[in-house]
Amino acid sequence: MPTAIIVPTLQEVDNIVPLVEQIEQTKVPFGEIIFVDDGSTDGTREKIRALTTVHRVRLIERAGAEGGLAGAIIAGANASSADLFVAMDADLSHPPEKIPALIHPIGSRYVPGGATPGWPAWRRFLSRVASALAYPLTGVHDSMGGFFAIRRECLLRFANQAAGFKIVFETIVRGRKTLRVREVPIVFRDRARGMSKMSFAQAIRFALAWLRAIGRRITEGKTSAPPLPAQRLFRD
């Protein structure tokens, strides 16, 4: 099944080459790596363009950052004909070697075998609190991560209205009656190069998304989306 790896970028020039090399070392039969850049000025776009001649790499340039990370992932999906997408960060915090195990499930830091080494206590606390708040709505231990694989029709159907960082959370909440989710453990590494994009504003956006999801849960039942047809991901 054709697979594309979508990587949103913003000021990640030092991480591009190591990331492509590590993805290629996994031997995953992907069709292309789609970098979606939201206005980098540090040479990120030039670095990606230089790779397009010798690697299965494509660059999509966005003038702004509409929809944030979620909008970048949707833009990459709309530009691809792949049937299956893997989304991951550009900062090497998501382990490329886990892509084979992620081709269908969503990666989790909070199931046995997962970890967040090097995280300060405050960040670990906030992540745990957010995941705990999300669990009643998703049934997933770690819906705060951005390392996941999903079928094309599911992503474009349930994530089109997602914004900010928490595309996994919003996708699962909107599609919880249809989606089947399985988590696999990952070790989430803190970035070694560049600066984190996490901010207080992102926390506020999650809080608003959580409140909207609570509102939909209270009023649900009046309308529901028809189920997607059953589909197998792999052939025997």
Side-chain angles (χ1 to χ4, degrees):
M1 179 172 289
T3 300
I5 299 171
I6 303 175
V7 185
T9 57
L10 178 60
Q11 314 292 55
E12 297 286 359
V13 62
D14 293 327
N15 291 317
I16 300 303
V17 171
L19 178 62
V20 171
E21 291 175 347
Q22 290 183 36
I23 290 174
E24 291 179 341
Q25 288 169 8
T26 66
K27 306 299 183 184
V28 171
F30 63 89
E32 60 182 346
I33 304 172
I34 303 173
F35 287 99
V36 185
D37 189 78
D38 279 346
S40 294
T41 57
D42 64 343
T44 295
R45 293 184 174 186
E46 291 76 11
K47 184 71 70 173
I48 296 170
R49 289 193 198 101
L51 296 176
T52 59
T53 58
V54 291
H55 297 271
R56 288 169 290 169
V57 168
R58 180 152 56 116
L59 171 63
I60 296 175
E61 301 179 33
R62 298 208 303 170
E66 184 178 355
L69 181 141
I73 292 174
I74 295 300
N78 281 324
S80 172
S81 60
D83 296 323
L84 189 67
F85 297 118
V86 175
M88 64 189 306
D89 291 348
D91 61 7
L92 299 174
S93 58
H94 295 145
E97 66 271 16
K98 279 289 188 176
I99 292 176
L102 257 184
I103 290 297
H104 184 212
I106 292 178
S108 178
R109 300 159 288 183
Y110 304 135
V111 295
T116 54
W119 269 21
W122 67 267
R123 186 172 180 185
R124 188 178 294 111
F125 172 77
L126 289 178
S127 181
R128 288 283 191 172
V129 169
S131 295
L133 289 172
Y135 185 82
L137 295 168
T138 63
V140 173
H141 294 89
D142 182 15
S143 60
M144 297 295 101
F147 188 29
F148 64 100
I150 188 170
R151 293 206 316 265
R152 175 188 189 85
E153 64 266 33
C154 294
L155 179 68
L156 296 181
R157 183 181 187 190
F158 297 120
N160 261 329
Q161 299 180 46
F165 274 58
K166 304 311 175 188
I167 186 171
V168 176
F169 168 75
E170 294 202 39
T171 300
I172 295 175
V173 168
R174 293 179 184 278
R176 69 184 179 279
K177 293 183 178 180
T178 300
L179 296 175
R180 290 179 297 170
V181 180
R182 183 162 64 90
E183 298 179 88
V184 297
I186 65 169
V187 174
F188 185 94
R189 309 183 187 100
D190 206 2
R191 68 161 60 234
R193 308 176 189 86
M195 296 183 63
S196 174
K197 313 303 187 300
M198 184 53 65
S199 65
F200 180 71
Q202 297 299 335
I204 293 297
R205 290 191 184 99
F206 166 69
L208 293 175
W210 184 82
L211 290 172
R212 287 194 298 269
I214 289 292
R216 286 195 300 269
R217 175 65 65 88
I218 293 173
T219 58
E220 73 178 356
K222 297 178 181 179
T223 59
S224 60
L228 290 170
Q231 216 178 56
R232 295 182 65 185
L233 282 173
F234 305 104
R235 294 180 180 176
D236 296 327

